[in-house]
Amino acid sequence: MSDIPETHPRRASLLSRQKLVDAQAKGMLANSALIAHGRGEAFDYLLGEKTTSGARNAAQEVLARMSNAKNPVISVNGNTVALAIEQLLLLADKIGCPIEVNIYYRTPERMNALLNHIEEVRSHLGIDVLILGSNPDGEIPNLDGPRAKCCSAGILNADAILVPLEDGDRCEALINMGKEVFVVDLNPLSRTARMATICIVDEISRAVSVMLEMDCSAVKVNPDFDATSSRDAVLDEMLDALKRNQTEA
Ligand code: PTJ
């Protein structure tokens, strides 16, 4: 894959696919991970694989709220670790919060593979971020099965949670716990995107890179931030892309 020319128009997309293939081989991913990624790619295609101004505004608001929270936490799953763990570790370091591994299709083997990989990247970066998930001592109320397991030092007692590529049920359960739930989802129509306190409609590694470029002390919480309009703005860009193509056809 390293032989993809720098100028290849879909280079970033091909490199992301390879990251997932590599993570799959290491046992980090759910069986359906590549299907989930494919759905995301279809929406990203409509965005021209670029961060829109609407997504940038949402990312800024999320950074402000995570930086202002008492107990913020970043929750990661298989796809998120495969695609963006380096950036997410740097973001956790910047905000000063832990990262918790919390996966939908939970097995001890996958948890180990993910925790070991994150620890390897953390130590390579030389930063001091607390990695949680190995010893869950709490449960998200009103959620069935192992996906409810979580840590009291992380998700259970967090007031703000950044949880990219979340599923609708868990997002709803976290909202019902009274938390601010920030998601990253390329599908602006998903239940998760509609249910979250704020959804950044963007590709996960781009969304986090955008937050890394921002200065935490310069971003201020906007209590009137309109999450629906923010999501609609990105949806409009996708619809415009479809219409443009119709006109040109
Ligand atoms: O690691 P696990 O066990 O927690 O499982 C992770 C997956 C992603 C397999 C699981 O959560 C799942 O099945 O997710 P869904 O319900 O398919 O939802 C995934 C959402 O993420 C979809 O709405 C996609 O559009 C979106 N998505 C996929 N890839 C990206 C993305 N959003 C942002 N960036 C991406 N790279």
Side-chain angles (χ1 to χ4, degrees), residues 40-41 43-45 47-60 83 164-165 183-188 193 198-211 214 230-231 234-235 238:
E41 276 192 342
F43 285 102
D44 206 15
Y45 201 79
L47 291 178
E49 293 164 1
K50 288 194 184 78
T51 300
T52 63
S53 57
R56 190 173 289 276
N57 289 342
Q60 181 175 316
L83 293 171
L165 279 69
V183 302
V184 181
D185 193 330
L186 276 161
N187 177 3
I198 297 175
C199 175
I200 305 171
V201 184
D202 198 10
E203 198 279 324
I204 175 64
S205 55
R206 286 202 310 267
V208 182
S209 299
V210 161
M211 284 192 264
M214 293 171 180
S230 147
R231 200 163 39 78
V234 187
L235 182 58
M238 289 180 180

Side-chain angles (χ1 to χ4, degrees), residues 28-30 32-41 43 76-79 83 102-106 110 114 165-168 170 184-187 190 192 200 202-205:
M28 285 161 42
L29 301 187
S32 55
L34 298 183
I35 300 169
H37 186 73
R39 180 185 293 169
E41 276 192 342
F43 285 102
V76 293
N77 66 9
N79 289 45
L83 293 171
N102 191 264
I103 57 181
Y104 189 98
Y105 301 104
R106 191 182 182 108
R110 280 192 66 210
L114 287 165
L165 279 69
E166 180 57 304
D167 91 281
R170 226 170 27 178
V184 181
D185 193 330
L186 276 161
N187 177 3
S190 73
T192 304
I200 305 171
D202 198 10
E203 198 279 324
I204 175 64
S205 55

Side-chain angles (χ1 to χ4, degrees), residues 12-136:
S13 169
L14 295 177
L15 289 173
S16 290
R17 284 186 177 184
Q18 189 58 42
K19 283 184 185 169
L20 287 167
V21 170
D22 293 344
Q24 184 91 293
K26 288 186 190 165
M28 285 161 42
L29 301 187
N31 290 338
S32 55
L34 298 183
I35 300 169
H37 186 73
R39 180 185 293 169
E41 276 192 342
F43 285 102
D44 206 15
Y45 201 79
L46 295 175
L47 291 178
E49 293 164 1
K50 288 194 184 78
T51 300
T52 63
S53 57
R56 190 173 289 276
N57 289 342
Q60 181 175 316
E61 186 61 27
V62 168
L63 181 65
R65 292 189 187 203
M66 285 290 284
S67 304
N68 268 276
K70 277 202 186 100
N71 295 311
V73 64
I74 298 175
S75 172
V76 293
N77 66 9
N79 289 45
T80 306
V81 171
L83 293 171
I85 194 56
E86 190 169 323
Q87 293 106 308
L88 283 163
L89 278 162
L90 292 170
L91 184 65
D93 188 44
K94 178 171 172 146
I95 293 170
C97 74
I99 286 191
E100 179 166 342
V101 180
N102 191 264
I103 57 181
Y104 189 98
Y105 301 104
R106 191 182 182 108
T107 64
E109 294 77 17
R110 280 192 66 210
M111 287 300 293
N112 280 341
L114 287 165
L115 287 161
N116 289 341
H117 179 73
I118 297 174
E119 181 48 35
E120 219 172 89
V121 179
R122 190 204 60 75
S123 128
H124 182 72
L125 289 171
I127 54 175
D128 192 16
V129 170
L130 180 63
I131 314 294
L132 300 167
S134 55
N135 294 305

